[in-house]
Amino acid sequence: MRCDVCQKNDATVYLTQIVEGKMQKVNLCEHCAKEKGVSDPTGFAMADLLLGLGATQQIEHGGQPAQKCPVCGFTQIDFKKTGRLGCSACYDTFADGLANLLKGMHKGLKHTGKMPAHLSRRYAMADRVKSLETDLQKAVKNENYEDAARLRDEIQKIEHELQA
Amino acid sequence: MTFDDIVAHPGQWLRGDGPHDKIVVSSRIRFARNLKDRPFPGWAKKAERLKILGEIQDHVAAIPAMDDGYTAPLQDLTALQKQILVERHLVSREHASKSAGSAVVISHDQQLSMMINEEDHLRMQSLLPGLQLREAYKINNEADLFLEDRVPYAFHPDLGYLTACPTNVGTGLRASAMVHLPALVLAEQINQIVNSVGKIGLAVRGLYGEGTEALGNLFQVSNQTTLGETEEEIIDRLVKVIEQVIEHEQNARQTLLERRANMLLDQIGRAYGVLGHARAIASKEALNLLSVMKLGADLGLFPESTQLAVDELFMTTQPAHLQLGEKKEKLSPEERDTLRADLVRAKVKKIPEPDIAKVKPAANGNGKKKDK
Ligand SMILES: [Zn+2]
Ligand SMILES: [Zn+2]
């Protein structure tokens, strides 16, 4: 049996794990087993490895095979080889293929946890601009020019802050 | 703090107390974080990795919890030192294989450790004794809040924290507890537990050893998914499951005491006998017998201090710890087995014989006999 990671050496280490009630099996050669730290007492490598291997096969279905990340030069072929991405921008580059993959891997497709405080302030400001713009349109439509002028000022002020 | 300080003083997770610490050895929280638009460590060239390390390291060392901590670029550590850190659960095996361009930063109390340029640019981990996942989360979160103002994190409004491997995207959170389940193993109920925990999206696996075999009856329970739930939801779910696992283990212990006391006493007595007299012992056998000793201590058959002695042996009988302080360059497996036996014997000799009066064998004490 061939090693699932390098596809070159004979597999000598056989691993099984149960995830979501499904049995997953991985066969590794001595070298890859060591490299991937499957006997790692910190124990995270195994889960990453198992899920990562399934990942490489799925991403191919999305996007064109020639796609290349403009920021780091990573390609889908590289992903197939390593099960890892090249940089954070790869998530946009390969978004189509990744969506499918993430769906099978996680509980949802939307992050609901914490975020850096400065970003949450920015997102809140961007949301505020959007709602002010709706109000502005309404005010213009109703020929309520006094309100419109005030709303325009407020939008400009927030946009100025966002650029800072 | 120096490397020798770390060697001389094992972290709090080993020596300290925590809720349910008879069954839950330790709790760990890990965050994965990366820099925006920079190649991940596995894809970055060496020069770029060094540059990224330079940009992160000072900020990491400046985290208040890292005051008087330990910082080392990995190329400054010997293979043995790296292995010691792995056996202390302070760095991952993957990180230990790294060299120039990677570093480790460890807090003075060894509760918080950071791996720079592991699989992600930054992996921060908190480790506490007993069941303290929420407390460990708090430690990690404080460090994270400090760094997020100083380091431009890769964060996506829909996908959350972006990581080298898509399995970690979202919260970048891996929460896990190391649990000691000797009674569930003895009662042959462990597979049921592993299966049912697996069904709800959590993973259980042996801490040492491969596949389903768990040496020392130590298991790790952790979350598998990182996207679509908040950190609190992930941790709450894990804590609930671990509390159930604890209950099952306690019930299994009670049942063994009531129905198979003689078998239990036999196992504990044999472990005590072998560990107290062996002249050569392989790691696998040592881990399994130490686990039985630990159970004996939990049941009150050995004095209170036995707990720590046994927990320390779990660590000090591992290869790098055995090598430590040896003059010879690299011990052979046979030499290691001898040294391990010496170490264990010396400790176990100080422990009095199991106090059988603590466990009253039932009238049909030899009940169902097992051929093991
Ligand atoms: Zn291989
Ligand atoms: Zn990229």
Side-chain angles (χ1 to χ4, degrees), chain B residues 20-21 43 50 57 192 212 246 298 321 328-329 346 364:
Chain B
H20 301 293
D21 61 2
W43 183 242
L50 283 164
Q57 190 178 310
Q192 259 169 279
T212 47
I246 293 171
D298 285 351
H321 278 81
K328 196 182 163 201
E329 190 74 1
N364 58 342

Side-chain angles (χ1 to χ4, degrees), chain B residues 1 5 97 100 141 147 152 168 247 296 307 348:
Chain B
M1 186 164 70
D5 292 332
S97 70
N141 193 39
L147 288 176
N168 295 316
E247 214 181 302
Q307 291 280 2
V348 172

Side-chain angles (χ1 to χ4, degrees), chain B residues 304-355:
Chain B
E304 193 72 31
S305 60
T306 310
Q307 291 280 2
L308 181 61
V310 170
D311 285 347
E312 276 181 346
L313 282 172
F314 268 113
M315 187 178 74
T316 54
T317 54
Q318 291 182 73
H321 278 81
L322 289 175
Q323 182 73 53
L324 203 70
E326 282 300 304
K327 286 198 187 75
K328 196 182 163 201
E329 190 74 1
K330 195 171 184 338
L331 296 168
S332 68
E334 292 75 24
E335 288 169 316
R336 271 209 301 269
D337 289 355
T338 309
L339 203 60
R340 183 178 293 114
D342 291 348
L343 204 67
V344 172
R345 232 176 31 246
K347 283 247 179 178
V348 172
K349 281 251 163 95
K350 287 189 199 140
I351 302 172
E353 276 188 33
D355 182 1

Side-chain angles (χ1 to χ4, degrees), chain B residues 93-218:
Chain B
R93 195 151 296 191
E94 167 157 350
H95 200 54
S97 70
K98 299 276 161 73
S99 184
S102 295
V104 58
V105 183
I106 299 166
S107 71
H108 189 80
D109 57 15
Q110 298 176 49
Q111 287 182 349
L112 180 66
S113 67
M114 302 252 178
M115 295 179 264
I116 304 175
N117 284 335
E118 201 238 31
E119 179 183 294
D120 294 297
H121 292 139
L122 191 59
R123 290 228 167 156
M124 50 181 101
Q125 136 187 319
S126 300
L127 191 57
L128 291 177
L131 182 56
Q132 300 196 70
L133 286 165
R134 295 188 181 99
E135 291 75 7
Y137 176 79
K138 231 178 263 169
I139 296 174
N140 247 28
N141 193 39
E142 257 169 51
D144 196 36
L145 293 176
F146 179 88
L147 288 176
E148 71 181 21
D149 288 335
R150 293 161 176 86
V151 177
Y153 280 162
F155 185 88
H156 188 285
D158 290 327
L159 296 178
Y161 294 95
L162 301 176
T163 52
C165 185
T167 50
N168 295 316
V169 80
T171 55
L173 168 73
R174 198 71 73 189
S176 76
M178 197 207 294
V179 287
H180 183 232
L181 308 175
L184 286 171
V185 173
L186 276 172
E188 294 173 3
Q189 290 170 14
I190 193 70
N191 286 337
Q192 259 169 279
I193 300 284
V194 169
N195 276 320
S196 54
V197 172
K199 278 200 186 104
I200 50 173
L202 301 173
V204 186
R205 48 176 236 103
L207 182 69
Y208 304 101
E210 276 151 11
T212 47
E213 189 186 29
L215 300 180
N217 300 319
L218 288 167

